[in-house]
Each structure stands twice: as structure tokens, then as C-alpha cells.
Amino acid sequence: MTQNILFGKLKDYRLEGRKVTFEFEGGQENLRPSVEVISDTIFNVFVDYDGLGHRTRAIEGELGKRLNADTCQECQALGEGRENGPEGAEKAESTESVESRENAESPANREAAGKADWVSWEGSAVVIRSKKVTVKVNDGFAVDFYDCEGNPLSLAWRGERKEKSGLGWKELMLLAEEGHAASDGKAKGNQVQELRSLDKTDCIYGLGDKTGFLNKRHYEYVMWNSDIPDPHEDNFKSLYKSIPFMLVLKEKGAYGIFFDNHCKSFFDLGKESEDYYVFGAEEGNLDYYFMAGESLKEVVSDYTWLTGRAPMQQLWTLGYHQSRWGYESEEKIREVAKGLRENDLPCDCIHFDIDYMDHYKVFTWNQETYQDERKVISDLKEMGIKAVTIIDPGVKVEKDYYVYEEGMEKGYFAKKPDSREAYVNAVWPGDAVFPDFGDPRVRTWWAGKQKYLIDLGVGGVWNDMNEPASFRGPLPDDVVFTDEDRQAPHSQIHNIYGHNMAKATYEGWKEYSGKRPFVITRACYSGSQKYTTAWTGDNHSIWSHIRMMIPQICNLGMSGMNFVGADVGGFGSDATPELFARWIQAGCFMPFFRDHCALGGRPQEPWQFGKEVLSISRKYINLRYELLPYLYDLMHETEVTGIPMVRPLVMEYEEDENVRNRNDEFMLGDRMLIAPVVEQGARERMVYLPQGIWYDYWTGERKEGRSFFVKEAPLDVCPVYVKAGAVIPKYPARLCVGEDKDDLLILEAYPGEGVYTHYQDNGEDFQYRQGAFNEYEISNQDGEAEVKILHEGYRPYGKIEIVRKF
């Protein structure tokens, strides 16, 4: 283990509040190795390799708010702190249980004494105890974690590293000459890395939108936000997002590790060896948070408490979105909107890609192809359709272009090394400079620019190309940016560039619109869920990508990014009618439901594929609108608990070995199971149902769980099952969210027993955080439902109709 080289025998420890700092033989005191108790289940392990101290970007002060006794009350209020839910307050309280053991002495006296009863020597190790976890720090700064019963959760690896390839330099040269990627299997140039033991049955999830399957064990990944337009295959190590958070499901219990290092980093999750996994980075510190839980849900809740939870979106964002790179004019936009309504297709949003801008200059409008952009947006609103506009970070280099001139005058763009001159690369507008979003002044400036779009009536912003992407090769590592209060090279900022852009955008929309900001991003980092939704980037119209969408969305959800989706039908290549039909069936159950495709490919509006596919599209888009209140309830649950709307089966049934690697089914909440058809030509599919009783959504057929069976699935059927005792709230079908949204609530009650909580507010602004919401408790006894209001702070429904199912 790398730390063994730097740290010898453990000599002593000292207390600094919740933090335990260690001394080892051989010096290295400047590295300040420490373990900090964040809560009874969360611990921070830190080594200061870069000498800059503890610098977290994903947490951004959220943790401090929760742990400060003077401000933890904010977590319990319905003000700003509510976006992180009441779980934050509970964590703060559990942390205080650790504090209470310290409070026998003042901080100064504790440090002078250097000891407390929750930290002690046991043999040669220092042991830290909370109510739920025991941490043992050993020689070499080997940190081991145990549950409260003494069972190992995660142990430091103490053996030697394994050579992956076992090849000599001649063989490696031969492979390289033949054009094959070759490596001797050892990570090179990594300032820090950590090796931890793997048990044979451990399953690994998370890491955001990485390609491949649900269970990430035996694979390796690189955290480096990357714009790769080629069809994404299972072996891709990087994509658009870097979310260095992994969850490990054990035979008993679970844990998570969040490696809060936003430099280029890597995860080898048992590829190098069955016995251990490795994570590390080329720069920065060893800075990771260990989270212990009895379940995956508890770990996700801890992680999102730590980094922030995805806040409620406006209700209309849950509707259907239509988009294409190629809606190049006012006439085309109007034609698409007319086609949606003439074909009786519900839709709440049309996205404007780069063609709406004047020569791709951000915060401008193309006056040649739009007679009156304000009227276009207004006319769409009259049809119940919002406009969402794309914004890229690259600012065109052009004299008298106001955004460029302002940024240059104030020094707001990234700079060449050892120079005050702005760094120039190329993106869509040609020569372009890049806003330095790590500088708070630049974020304030960029937030102000959002007012241009808001004043036009735009409904939200779609941030693209923010890895940042560039056309003349990648930005060099030494391009100079800002990291809040210091200069930092591009190598240290790259993975949080999109995160900082999203933060600036969110803050602008919140201030100037007065509504919940709808921000979409392609690139992000851990914690971005506080500011933005996301999609999986430039996928393709191929069957492997509809299959990959399911584990991608599930792992993004477990990684904190709740409101996410993949481009329905695929962005690149050409969708076939069958592929589009199957994709819109699966996509209608995803949080972000957008049909999007690329210029030069086959158009993908639902009517482009013939009458049968149009009818199927209408069926599933209507179903989406019927399920709006259920989806909105799940979004509210995410804000309160951090548990995602879409989740893998293993998150609900983790003791069931049949679901630990199930890639082709998912849960929508805890009571609907979706089993899409993702194979070309298939008109039936194998379905697995976990334990319990389930009902076929379409036919009412009763099925026993813990069973496999073949379900007939003609082209217009996506298999859906509802858990016994469930109540599913629904609206009547409508063409847009705003049609009579509070007039009628339909409660579909399934056979069995259960209790369901339904949430209702105005679906637009933040008044719900001041109590302007209704909460209902619905008790179901074999289809006979009883409704009780738990909280009343908003206009009630005109009518609630209870429908007994089957």
C-alpha cells in the first residue's frame, strides 16, 4: 500500500475537535494524516500531499452548515436548508452524539490532554468508535472499518500489488506496433493511491454515467470529463461526468467511498486483482469519505446528505421534451410545435440547439432565421410549450461582441501560462475563450447573463460542451484557471468546470426568475445535483445504447444525480421504427424524458416513423402525463432522502442474488417495476420479479415474486408490474402539464395492504419551503383506499377519485 512507503510505525495521535491527527515514525508531519468523524456513519480520511490543506469542492460549505451547532437548526427549517432534507438535521444530531463524548472538556483542554474516551489505543492501533462504526488506524496509516458488531466492512490491503499483464517490454512494444493499447498494468505518475480489500461476493455500483453494466466490479475507469462522439462501448473508461463515488454491497451491509479529488483520477475495481480495488489521482490529496450503512439506500442517503440533494424541479420539466440539432429556424420550430399538437402528442418543451444563436455566440439570437424570437417563445407558451436554449461555455473572439468585450476587460477568461493573455481554442463559433468559472466574480457575471434569456421568456438552460470540449485538441494541463481563492492549472479544474458553470447558471436563474431553475448539463462532478439535471450525452441510435441506458441511469441515481435521462431514440446514427418505439417506451419512465437527435441523421419526431410507431408514442407519452403526480412524489422523496426516482432492483431487494447484476429492469420508486424490451426483433422477454405479489399493469395478471417467466411483448407493450398493496396517483391525460393540474387526482389502489404518502404544491417556485404544500396519507386495504390530509398549506384538489384495480 502506498501509504506504507510514507508512513512507518504509528507513534501517537492528537484530537482537534472531531478530527484525529496521527504521528508516525519517519516524520512526514507535513502530510497531516487524519481521520475525522463526520457522523456516526461517515468518516473522512485525509493526507495533505499537495500542502494546500483540506479543499473540498463537492461539499462546498454544506458540511460546515450541518456540523456547526449554531446553524444546524437551519437543516430543520423549511428555508434554504430544506433542499437537503430533514436527514441533514438527523445527521447533525448523530454527530453531536460523538461531540457529547468530547464535551466533558473544552476543545483547548481536550487538545492539551490529547485523549477522549471515544478514541483509544488498542495494542498498536488507535481505535475510533461511533455508535455504528469502529475505525482502526494501524501502522503505515492502514485504516480499517468495522460495523458495531465487529464485522469487517472495509479493510486496507496489506499485500503486494499484482502485475496485470505480466508482459515484458518486447511484448509490449510488439503490441504497440500492431496498434493495440498496451500497458504493463501499473498506474504511472499517481501522486496518491489507496488499495482496499475486496471480498469474493462484493458488488460495486455508482461512479455516475460510466459505460457498461450495473455492477462495476472487474472494470477500471478514469475520472476525466471527456467529449467522445464515437459510439460508447463497454470498455470506455471516461465519459462526460466524473463522480468519484462508489458503493459496495456486501453479504451483510454496505458502504460507500467518495474520493473527493477532482484532478484526473482512476478506479480499478478488481480488474488488477480479485483481492483488492485501487483508487488514486495524479495530483491533489488522499481525501475520501467512508460511509457505512445497513443498506445501499442508507449509503446513498449519507452521500447525498454530504454533497447535497437534488432539489425539486418545476412540474412541467417532468413532461415530454422534443429536441433536435437541426431546428435551424423559426419556421422549423413552429412546424415541430404544430406537428406535436396536430398528432395529439403531449409536450411541455422544445429545445433550441446551437442554430438559434447569432453565429454561435452565447446570449445572442439569430436575427436572420428568426423574425421575432420573443414572439416565437410567446406563441409556444400559448400552446403550453416552454423553450429551453442551449448555452456553451466557449465565448467567440470577436471585437464589439459584448460578452467577449466585458470578459476581456475584467480578466474573466482562462489564461495562458505565465501570461495575462486569454487562452484561445476553437469550438462552434471558431476562435473562443473560456470563462473562468472557478472565480466567484465570474460566476456572478455569468449568472447575470441569464437574465437575457429569462427576459425573453425562456424556460431553462441546457449547458453543453462544458467538459470543456474544444476543437483544436484538448486544453493543455497548464492553462491557468481559478480555484475559488487561488490560481490553479487546468489539470486541477477540468473535472469541476461543468460543475462551476452549472452553479453559476443555477444561481442566475434562481435570482432573476424567482422559480426553481431548470438547468441541464453534460459535464459535472459530485455535488452537481444541487444545481443541475443531466443527460448521458451523445449516445447513438443503436440497440447496445438502449440497453446501456438502464444501468447508466441507475448508477447516476445512486451517485446523487436524480433527474437524468438518455436521448430517446439516440442522438447519433439513424433510429429504426422498432428501435424508436422501444426507446420511447423505456424513456417515458426515466426522470428526464427527451427525444433528441443530430443534424444529418434521420429526424426523430414520433410521426416520422409511420402510423404504428406514432400510435405507440402517443400511448406512452400519455402514460407519462398520467403518472405525473407519482413522478412528482418521487422527486420530492429524493429531495428529502436522496433516494433516486429510478433505481436498480438491487436497491430495493439487495438480499436477492438474482438482482445484483440485473441490467435490463429497473424500479420506478419502490412500487413499479419496468422491464423494457431492448433486443431487436423481440416480441417476448424474460422477466424476473423479486419477492412479493405483483400485478401486470396492462392486464392485471397476478404474479408471485422470486420467479422468472416469459412475458409476451408485442411492439406496443413494455412490461410493467405494480407491487401488491400499492397506490399509484395519476392525472387524466393532457397535452401539457398546465392543463387542470389540480382539478382531479386519481388514486389507483391495487389488491393488498399499504400506505402511501402523496405530495402537492404549486410546481413552480420555492413557496413549498415556507410550508405552501399539501401532504396526504392514503391507506389501502385490498383496493379500498382512505385519504387523510397530513399537512395543508396549498389549494386542495377539486376532486379525488379512488379506482380499485383488478
Side-chain angles (χ1 to χ4, degrees), residues 73-323:
Q73 294 298 319
E74 295 176 9
C75 303
Q76 303 171 44
L78 288 174
E80 281 296 303
R82 195 181 192 282
E83 69 181 286
N84 300 292
E87 288 289 316
E90 291 174 13
K91 287 295 173 187
E93 289 163 5
S94 70
T95 302
E96 289 165 8
S97 71
V98 175
E99 285 185 309
S100 67
R101 286 177 283 179
E102 299 179 42
N103 284 338
E105 300 175 291
S106 69
N109 290 336
R110 287 200 311 274
E111 187 167 353
K115 301 292 179 287
D117 60 4
W118 54 276
V119 185
S120 62
W121 284 98
E122 290 190 9
S124 60
V126 171
V127 178
I128 304 168
R129 285 187 171 84
S130 73
K131 287 182 178 180
K132 296 186 177 181
V133 178
T134 297
V135 185
K136 293 185 178 180
V137 179
N138 304 274
D139 293 342
F141 200 46
V143 183
D144 300 326
F145 299 90
Y146 301 83
D147 66 20
C148 58
E149 297 175 356
N151 301 306
L153 286 172
S154 177
L155 305 179
W157 174 252
R158 290 166 170 78
E160 295 295 323
R161 290 194 67 171
K162 180 181 178 181
E163 294 278 355
K164 282 194 289 189
S165 68
L167 299 177
W169 69 270
K170 290 183 179 180
E171 291 88 347
L172 294 171
M173 289 293 292
L174 179 62
L175 284 169
E177 288 174 5
E178 290 295 316
H180 300 287
S183 170
D184 64 359
K186 285 199 171 183
K188 299 293 186 183
N190 294 300
Q191 177 168 294
V192 55
Q193 55 193 14
E194 173 84 356
L195 280 72
R196 304 200 65 80
S197 297
L198 272 173
D199 291 338
K200 289 184 179 180
T201 59
D202 289 350
C203 296
I204 304 176
Y205 308 104
L207 296 184
D209 67 344
K210 296 293 185 280
T211 62
F213 303 104
L214 183 68
N215 186 354
K216 299 304 184 187
R217 183 161 182 168
H218 300 122
Y219 294 90
E220 61 179 343
Y221 301 96
V222 176
M223 298 293 160
W224 189 251
N225 292 351
S226 302
D227 174 19
I228 306 175
D230 298 332
H232 306 145
E233 302 294 343
D234 299 348
N235 62 342
F236 276 44
K237 293 179 174 59
S238 296
L239 271 185
Y240 306 97
K241 302 165 188 64
S242 292
I243 305 180
F245 170 63
M246 56 179 279
L247 302 97
V248 179
L249 177 61
K250 306 186 71 63
E251 283 190 352
K252 180 182 179 182
Y255 70 86
I257 286 183
F258 166 40
F259 181 38
D260 192 10
N261 181 316
H262 45 75
C263 304
K264 189 172 187 177
S265 59
F266 69 93
F267 285 74
D268 183 311
L269 304 178
K271 180 177 180 180
E272 180 175 300
S273 170
E274 282 279 351
D275 299 322
Y276 59 81
Y277 59 87
V278 189
F279 60 88
E282 292 182 353
E283 301 178 69
N285 297 321
L286 177 67
D287 184 3
Y288 71 88
Y289 292 82
F290 179 89
M291 287 149 265
E294 295 182 7
S295 66
L296 291 172
K297 281 187 175 181
E298 288 189 6
V299 175
V300 171
S301 187
D302 269 359
Y303 169 73
T304 54
W305 173 81
L306 188 70
T307 61
R309 290 181 177 147
M312 298 276 285
Q313 295 289 326
Q314 296 182 61
L315 181 60
W316 69 263
T317 65
L318 285 167
Y320 175 69
H321 299 238
Q322 186 66 54
S323 181

Side-chain angles (χ1 to χ4, degrees), residues 550-715:
I550 298 171
Q552 272 190 316
I553 300 302
C554 287
N555 273 318
L556 273 166
M558 288 193 289
S559 303
M561 295 297 296
N562 173 59
F563 198 107
V564 289
D567 285 340
V568 167
F571 176 71
S573 307
D574 295 308
T576 65
E578 180 187 11
L579 176 60
F580 185 82
R582 293 305 192 189
W583 212 318
I584 206 160
Q585 291 170 5
C588 89
F589 298 104
M590 296 298 178
F592 180 37
F593 183 29
R594 180 179 74 165
D595 171 9
H596 182 51
C597 65
L599 181 71
R602 178 176 186 166
Q604 280 182 189
E605 297 82 20
W607 57 87
Q608 304 285 358
F609 298 94
K611 291 184 178 180
E612 182 182 21
V613 174
L614 175 60
S615 177
I616 292 169
S617 300
R618 187 182 299 115
K619 171 183 175 179
Y620 284 90
I621 297 174
N622 275 326
L623 175 60
R624 171 70 169 211
Y625 278 74
E626 291 173 6
L627 290 172
L628 282 172
Y630 180 60
L631 294 164
Y632 200 61
D633 285 341
L634 295 177
M635 186 187 292
H636 177 253
E637 179 186 357
T638 300
E639 179 173 302
V640 173
T641 69
I643 307 304
M645 299 164 66
V646 164
R647 56 196 77 161
L649 273 62
V650 69
M651 202 168 187
E652 294 292 338
Y653 302 95
E654 57 191 42
E655 294 182 359
D656 187 344
E657 292 184 0
N658 291 314
V659 302
R660 294 189 171 191
N661 296 284
R662 192 139 305 277
N663 295 284
D664 61 351
E665 300 177 17
F666 60 92
M667 300 292 297
L668 183 60
D670 63 357
R671 59 203 66 207
M672 292 187 76
L673 184 149
I674 320 298
V677 176
V678 292
E679 299 291 339
Q680 189 272 337
R683 296 298 181 267
E684 59 185 20
R685 64 150 293 167
M686 183 75 75
V687 174
Y688 178 75
L689 295 177
Q691 66 185 37
I693 304 298
W694 298 83
Y695 289 88
D696 187 310
Y697 178 83
W698 305 109
T699 69
E701 182 182 7
R702 183 181 186 273
K703 304 292 291 188
E704 294 276 355
R706 295 285 294 189
S707 63
F708 291 91
F709 59 93
V710 175
K711 166 66 178 174
E712 291 187 6
L715 187 58

